[in-house]
Amino acid sequence: GVHLNVNKMEVLKKQFHTIAENIPGAIFRYGISNGGNHKLTYVSNQFLDLWGITGDEEREIKDVQSIWNLISEEDLPQVKKSIEQSAAHMTDWSSIWRVKLPDGSLKWHKGMGRPTRNPDGSIYWDAIILDITEEKEIAERLTQRNEFIEVILENLPIGIAVNDTVTGKATIVNDQFSE
């Protein structure tokens, strides 16, 4: 009875720890007390890596302000508003923001979580943050390439039209083709 339950709890704790450490992102629990205080009650080791937090700074992660300070000033109001809206409507939270790491590098993060209201009125989110820097860089390169292609198409001395293979409708037509 009791021995089996203790062993089962140890196995579950080990499984959780293994999962938390192997997810390609950071898992955490973020809470807002019914008095409005924000806090982090759990962070995986990847959380520290994702935010570039090491050594002495690790003790400060429970201080949410130290995390807010890393988020781009342009993005911070939107991140806070997304949390407020999730809390107000008890809907899933999702947000994308830029982070300036202590080493000076810029990263893009995407956070997602689900809120739970405690009986005392406080709310917590079990959430994950992913580093989406590579995806953002690829999207930027694609945007630049598309803009380059558009400039070339518009400046060609001949008409060009590109049709959708399914519908047959023209999706790209340069000015020369229209003349």
Side-chain angles (χ1 to χ4, degrees):
V2 173
H3 180 68
L4 181 61
N5 288 342
V6 171
N7 284 341
K8 187 174 182 179
M9 286 301 292
E10 287 301 316
V11 168
L12 291 174
K13 282 174 69 175
K14 185 173 182 173
Q15 283 178 339
F16 172 77
H17 181 72
T18 302
I19 291 168
E21 297 311 311
N22 287 323
I23 287 178
I27 62 171
F28 65 103
R29 180 169 278 184
Y30 180 87
I32 303 176
S33 71
N34 52 10
N37 295 320
H38 296 244
K39 63 183 176 179
L40 292 164
T41 58
Y42 173 82
V43 296
S44 66
N45 286 334
Q46 282 76 3
F47 188 93
L48 304 174
D49 293 340
L50 203 60
W51 293 90
I53 298 171
T54 59
D56 293 336
E57 298 167 319
E58 185 176 338
R59 290 176 298 199
E60 298 174 17
I61 60 163
K62 303 284 181 175
D63 170 22
V64 175
Q65 189 59 47
S66 64
I67 299 300
W68 294 138
N69 291 342
L70 297 173
I71 296 176
S72 161
E73 288 181 20
E74 293 174 35
D75 299 339
L76 186 57
Q78 176 271 130
V79 173
K80 287 184 174 184
K81 184 175 182 179
S82 68
I83 294 168
E84 291 167 8
Q85 288 177 339
S86 174
H89 304 290
M90 293 304 291
T91 54
D92 287 354
W93 166 73
S94 181
S95 188
I96 295 174
W97 63 90
R98 290 166 290 177
V99 174
K100 185 166 186 175
L101 299 180
D103 69 5
S105 63
L106 184 69
K107 298 285 185 179
W108 283 89
H109 288 176
K110 179 176 184 173
M112 299 162 281
R114 180 159 292 153
T116 301
R117 187 178 308 278
N118 288 318
D120 68 359
S122 64
I123 300 171
Y124 68 88
W125 287 259
D126 290 322
I128 186 167
I129 296 176
L130 304 171
D131 181 344
I132 61 166
T133 305
E134 186 175 340
E135 289 87 345
K136 283 290 194 177
E137 290 170 351
I138 290 169
E140 178 61 27
R141 286 196 303 271
L142 285 173
T143 298
Q144 290 172 353
R145 178 176 285 164
N146 287 345
E147 289 170 356
F148 177 72
I149 291 169
E150 286 176 23
V151 167
I152 289 173
L153 286 174
E154 287 306 317
N155 290 297
L156 284 174
I158 60 170
I160 300 283
V162 178
N163 292 345
D164 183 298
T165 57
V166 175
T167 65
K169 293 183 180 181
T171 57
I172 300 173
V173 177
N174 71 356
D175 289 341
Q176 291 294 338
F177 185 84
S178 299
E179 292 179 3

